[in-house]
Amino acid sequence: MSSTDPAEYGYPAERARLLADPDTTGPRRRAALARLTDDWLAALYRAAGAPARTALVAVGGYGRAELSPRSDLDLLLLHEGPLAADLAERIWYPVWDSGVALDHAVRTPGEARKVAAEDLKAQLGLLDARHLAGDPQLTADLRSAVLADWRAAAPERLPELQELGRARAERHGELSFLLEPDLKEARGGLRDLVALNAVAATWLADAPRDGLDAAARTLADVRDALHLTTGRATERLSLQDQDQVAERLGVLDADTLLRQVYQAARTVAYASDVTWRSVDRVLAERRRPARRAARFGFPFNGARRAPVGPDAPERRPLAEGVVEQDGEAVLAHAARPAADPVLPLRAAAAAAQAGLTVGYATVRRLAAETGPLPVPWPDEARAQLVTLLGAGEACLPVWEALEAEGLISRMLPDWERVRCRPQRNAVHRWTVDRHLIETAVRAAAMTRRTARPDLLLVAALLHDLGKGWPGDHSEAGEVIVRDVAVRMGFDRQDTDTLALLVRHHLTLVDTATRRDPDDPATADLIAKTVGTQTHLELLHALTEADATATGPAAWSSWRASLVTALVERTAARLAGDTSPPAADPEVTADQERLAVEAARTGGPALTLAAHPEPAGEQGTEPMGVELTLALPDRPGLLGTVAGVLAVHRLTVRKAGLRELDPVGAGPVLLLSWTVAAEYGDLPEAARLRADLRRALDGSLDVARKLAERDAAAPRRRGISTPPPVVTVAPHAASRSATVLEVRAHDAPGLLHRIGRALDVAGVRVRTAHVSTLGAEAVDAFYLTSPDGRPLERERAHEVARVVRAALETP
């Protein structure tokens, strides 16, 4: 019996033969199934004796000719004149009898448009209307009218469509991380592809198309195989079906199948993010009448040709080569990606710290034009990676954008082994790669708990890289992280620390839950493993970040209390192992000369010299310059000098302060700074010296200058950061001074505020060690009373409160 026979038994048989044909798969099978169904329904329509000015129309997925083996048939019987009461039933009953699911409606064009105006899902279905039989002009007229209605109502309907997507994601989760994903409804699934096509139909924006068709095909092929495997119209790829689906598709195993699904879903999700940001910009611009003249000219990715003149969008600097425009981080006009291998990390870090994402066109350009990082990495590259990770939640969309364009795997080749790798463990809620970045996000909230926040964040990012290799992932990870750390440019001591953290990132939990916590040998074992208090602090923070990023079942209050108790006992064992403060380097001849000049003239003497590059970094820009400054000692000196540097938009990377008496004429403070321009060029030494003189004689009010600049700067949403921590170190840290430790988020003028607070507190800064690790400042100030004695305990804690209050005040 032919497939066009209106009898109900022809179509099921032909359909069964088609689905059983091993040579017809994928898009070919879906197209063939649609053609077979088209012919059958057209024959049913003709056999029903439909009158003129009627049409049978496929809508929704069937309208797109995307028929999976168990797909519903979405049909509309369109008419303009009166219909026989049983006409529709003469078409629908054979479909019902065949066992194929049917979603049907009988409407006039006016009724169809009215329903679409009231029901977004109905309108989306009509956008894909396709003529099957009857009067083709009737179908064409309806399509044209529905498209016109859709475009006219786009400003109101697109936000509704966006909200539907958010609600689906909330209910069904993210397809790229679920062990049993819903291929249709989860974020990054087939529904999102329909939404992207609907956005494109408005002509206001379109999705980035690279890889999108391949992703759509992957998801559709897996759904087809799932339908054939289960014999049901299911969209959930359950664990029990994954091996059979993989076998049907000729895929190695279920893990490989999931990785392919995850990669496709990420492509769709990223395209959705880019598209909806573009829609938001377009709609926001339409609400600004003054700029409507500059509204058009959108290329396929939704990025606009930048208008010039008064309608040009405002561009605000974020970092060297990076500006903010329309709520995104984009490249400055003068940026040269081909000559600046650190630019992708700098742009990413600046965007995340400002609570923005990196523009789609910018990420594409960075991927196309930026070369690989030198090995070992320049200092700036390490610092920018730490700054990016330290942004916490704001890091995630930026990281996803870099990963979508291959920039993460280019910087960290080992990342490719864990990318989209599933974890078949009920405790884990993420793929391996997403778990790593989620661990870094959790660790960003714990940076005040350690003196090395940079090592904490990098260890969090790398701790499970061993899961991409055979064997124990902690042991494999230790080997891998040593290689990665060397390529990143960490020195031997820091590399050893990172290797220890990765090797033992499960040790605290395992020991606390499996051994007697009251047995002194338990704490002795951990003390022997970590060796130092700093390592213990890092491992404790990494343990908590790892567990909380795994899932709710991995970190309970009971486990947290056991680990904390073990850490406290171990800390007591290590209490006598306080590392001495770093010794100041010997005074060089140039520094001695500056100190003599400052003592002789009574004013500032300074030099600016290029920061020396470590071996292997030739051809890269230095991270900053060395500023050496000598000044006769006086109250408030540290805050004043730091304020002048902030006025000149100089970021302090490292700083040291020490007291000299070169000619016996009184103390001279020698300040050695590593500074970098926030953006733009470094100031001339003569100009810097002149402003220092003015600040010292009172003709330049540094505090007022900084306040005026802050008031004039645009308010960005920024990111939330852990509060500053100001502590008094144990007495053993120094016998001749009181050591005040400050851990805070770095910001322009931070050191100026600390210096002013210490001046207000009436203490002398005898020595200082200042470090900026990514976006985190870790500073130690050696303080004395005006007569040169260490501070009394209560006095020291009062000074700490004064400094903390200064940092907490907006």
Side-chain angles (χ1 to χ4, degrees):
M1 190 172 291
S2 73
S3 63
T4 57
D5 193 312
E8 59 268 32
Y9 297 106
Y11 173 73
E14 293 285 348
R15 181 175 174 279
R17 280 193 290 271
L18 173 62
L19 296 179
D21 182 0
D23 296 327
T24 307
T25 59
R28 286 182 55 216
R29 179 171 58 206
R30 288 189 289 275
L33 183 57
R35 287 194 300 271
L36 178 67
T37 306
D38 291 353
D39 292 344
W40 177 52
L41 291 171
L44 292 176
Y45 172 86
R46 290 192 296 270
R53 298 301 291 165
T54 61
L56 189 62
V57 182
V59 298
Y62 182 31
R64 295 187 298 275
E66 296 174 356
L67 274 186
S68 287
R70 295 290 173 177
S71 289
D72 294 354
L73 298 182
D74 295 328
L75 294 173
L76 170 64
L77 182 57
L78 197 60
H79 68 96
E80 282 194 334
L83 290 179
D86 62 344
L87 174 63
E89 283 75 6
R90 291 201 295 272
I91 302 173
W92 308 148
Y93 270 109
V95 179
W96 288 326
D97 291 344
S98 73
V100 176
L102 174 66
D103 188 359
H104 60 86
V106 181
R107 294 187 179 114
T108 66
E111 290 169 343
R113 292 176 65 186
K114 182 180 179 183
V115 169
E118 297 170 351
D119 184 346
L120 179 58
K121 292 181 180 179
Q123 189 163 40
L124 294 177
L126 285 174
L127 289 177
D128 295 310
R130 182 169 60 86
H131 183 72
L132 296 178
D135 187 341
Q137 190 60 47
L138 196 59
T139 304
D141 290 345
L142 177 64
R143 273 186 54 85
S144 297
V146 168
L147 278 170
D149 293 342
W150 176 242
R151 288 165 186 154
E156 292 74 37
R157 311 257 27 200
L158 285 180
E160 186 182 351
L161 179 59
Q162 187 177 16
E163 186 53 40
L164 276 179
R166 290 194 185 110
R168 276 191 291 101
E170 186 70 25
R171 287 194 305 273
H172 299 281
E174 295 196 52
L175 175 50
S176 53
F177 305 123
L178 296 168
L179 275 178
E180 293 187 310
D182 188 306
L183 299 169
K184 188 173 184 179
E185 303 292 345
R187 181 174 181 264
L190 294 165
R191 285 277 191 213
D192 281 343
L193 286 164
V194 175
L196 290 178
N197 289 334
V199 173
T202 66
W203 293 349
L204 295 181
D206 195 4
R209 291 289 165 181
D210 285 356
L212 199 57
D213 288 343
R217 172 175 176 169
T218 295
L219 295 177
D221 286 352
V222 174
R223 180 173 66 168
D224 287 1
L226 179 62
H227 284 189
L228 291 172
T229 296
T230 63
R232 296 180 289 109
T234 180
E235 312 295 343
R236 185 169 297 280
L237 185 59
S238 63
L239 291 172
Q240 64 189 21
D241 298 321
Q242 288 173 11
D243 287 320
Q244 292 173 276
V245 171
E247 183 180 1
R248 185 177 287 275
L249 290 171
V251 174
L252 179 63
D253 54 27
D255 276 4
T256 304
L257 171 69
L258 279 182
R259 291 191 79 176
Q260 291 180 359
V261 170
Y262 293 164
Q263 287 167 352
R266 289 193 190 182
T267 299
V268 176
Y270 177 59
S272 297
D273 289 342
V274 171
T275 302
W276 285 116
R277 285 200 303 270
S278 180
V279 168
D280 289 342
R281 287 196 303 272
V282 173
L283 297 184
E285 192 170 81
R286 283 193 162 199
R287 290 190 288 269
R288 294 196 293 266
R291 291 181 58 184
R292 286 190 178 180
R295 189 175 69 232
F296 298 102
F298 301 99
F300 77 95
N301 60 17
R304 288 165 290 169
R305 292 192 296 270
V308 296
D311 285 329
E314 186 177 359
R315 296 167 67 88
R316 293 183 288 268
L318 291 174
E320 180 64 22
V322 188
V323 298
E324 176 187 351
Q325 177 182 316
D326 283 342
E328 293 181 335
V330 301
L331 295 184
H333 294 311
R336 297 292 179 267
D340 190 355
V342 183
L343 186 55
L345 278 173
R346 191 185 312 123
Q353 287 291 326
L356 307 172
T357 190
V358 185
Y360 171 73
T362 294
V363 181
R364 296 273 293 174
R365 184 181 171 195
L366 289 171
E369 298 182 23
T370 307
L373 284 166
V375 176
W377 287 13
D379 289 348
E380 187 196 0
R382 259 190 338 277
Q384 297 294 358
L385 174 63
V386 171
T387 302
L388 170 60
L389 298 175
E393 290 283 348
C395 168
L396 290 174
V398 176
W399 189 272
E400 289 173 353
L402 298 186
E403 191 174 55
E405 298 300 335
L407 284 164
I408 298 299
S409 295
R410 184 190 300 180
M411 290 186 293
L412 301 171
D414 299 280
W415 193 260
E416 198 58 35
R417 279 185 171 264
V418 297
R419 186 170 183 266
C420 294
R421 181 176 289 275
Q423 303 198 75
R424 293 187 176 276
N425 184 322
V427 173
H428 278 278
R429 60 180 297 195
W430 305 111
T431 55
V432 177
D433 60 332
R434 181 57 181 261
H435 169 70
L436 291 174
I437 191 65
E438 287 283 345
T439 304
V441 167
R442 302 303 191 281
M446 304 175 188
T447 49
R448 303 293 177 269
R449 290 165 50 172
T450 172
R452 291 302 304 271
D454 56 332
L455 297 183
L456 171 62
L457 291 168
V458 173
L461 181 70
L462 304 179
H463 76 277
D464 271 351
L465 278 185
K467 289 185 176 179
W469 298 81
D472 183 290
H473 78 277
S474 297
E475 295 177 1
E478 179 184 6
V479 176
I480 296 165
V481 81
R482 286 188 178 277
D483 177 63
V484 174
V486 169
R487 281 189 274 122
M488 285 182 171
F490 285 102
D491 62 25
R492 176 173 293 182
Q493 184 175 349
D494 288 350
T495 297
D496 289 344
T497 298
L498 288 169
L500 181 148
L501 294 174
V502 171
R503 175 66 181 87
H504 292 287
H505 70 270
L506 298 176
T507 297
L508 284 181
V509 167
D510 288 348
T511 304
T513 56
R514 297 176 184 176
R515 298 191 56 161
D516 181 4
D518 295 323
D519 185 348
T522 304
D524 288 341
L525 174 64
I526 299 300
K528 183 178 179 181
T529 299
V530 298
T532 70
Q533 184 71 34
T534 298
H535 289 166
L536 180 63
E537 291 173 350
L538 284 166
L539 191 60
H540 187 196
L542 176 61
T543 299
E544 185 173 337
D546 180 23
T548 54
T550 297
W555 192 249
S556 62
S557 57
W558 171 74
R559 285 194 173 201
S561 65
L562 289 179
V563 169
T564 299
L566 176 59
V567 168
E568 289 173 350
R569 290 187 177 93
T570 305
R573 297 287 193 280
L574 297 170
D577 190 24
T578 303
S579 301
D584 288 320
E586 291 186 8
V587 178
T588 67
D590 286 340
Q591 290 172 337
E592 183 80 22
R593 177 184 59 78
L594 287 175
V596 170
E597 181 182 345
R600 180 179 58 81
T601 64
L606 63 89
T607 60
L608 281 169
H611 185 61
E613 297 175 357
E617 292 185 11
Q618 288 77 11
T620 66
E621 292 294 322
M623 188 175 177
V625 298
E626 295 288 349
L627 167 63
T628 306
L629 173 66
L631 282 165
D633 193 8
R634 54 182 288 178
L637 194 58
L638 177 63
T640 299
V641 175
V644 172
L645 296 182
V647 167
H648 284 268
R649 296 189 182 276
L650 293 175
T651 300
V652 179
R653 298 297 184 189
K654 288 190 294 185
L657 181 153
R658 61 200 299 188
E659 189 177 278
L660 302 176
D661 190 355
V663 292
V668 171
L669 288 186
L670 182 70
L671 298 96
S672 302
W673 311 73
T674 301
V675 298
E678 197 174 334
Y679 26 76
D681 297 326
L682 291 161
E684 296 178 358
R687 184 180 169 196
L688 193 57
R689 185 184 295 109
D691 281 351
L692 282 169
R693 288 186 181 278
R694 292 173 57 213
L696 292 170
D697 67 24
S699 60
L700 174 62
D701 189 336
V702 173
R704 191 173 112 191
K705 192 87 172 172
L706 290 173
E708 289 174 350
R709 191 176 72 189
D710 289 344
R715 295 297 176 191
R716 297 190 181 98
R717 54 185 170 174
I719 59 172
S720 61
T721 59
V725 172
V726 183
T727 57
V728 179
H731 180 70
S734 174
R735 291 186 176 87
S736 59
T738 298
V739 181
L740 190 74
E741 295 182 346
V742 179
R743 300 174 184 176
H745 188 74
D746 191 30
L750 175 68
L751 193 53
H752 169 66
R753 296 169 73 183
I754 295 173
R756 287 188 68 196
L758 293 174
D759 188 36
V760 168
V763 296
R764 289 184 60 203
V765 181
R766 201 192 72 191
T767 307
H769 298 279
V770 175
S771 298
T772 305
L773 304 170
E776 304 303 318
V778 180
D779 305 337
F781 302 92
Y782 288 69
L783 309 176
T784 67
S785 60
D787 61 2
R789 297 174 182 272
L791 305 179
E792 296 292 337
R793 185 173 182 276
E794 285 302 318
R795 174 76 171 124
H797 286 284
E798 179 188 346
V799 172
R801 287 192 292 271
V802 170
V803 174
R804 188 182 304 112
L807 297 182
E808 290 175 345
T809 303

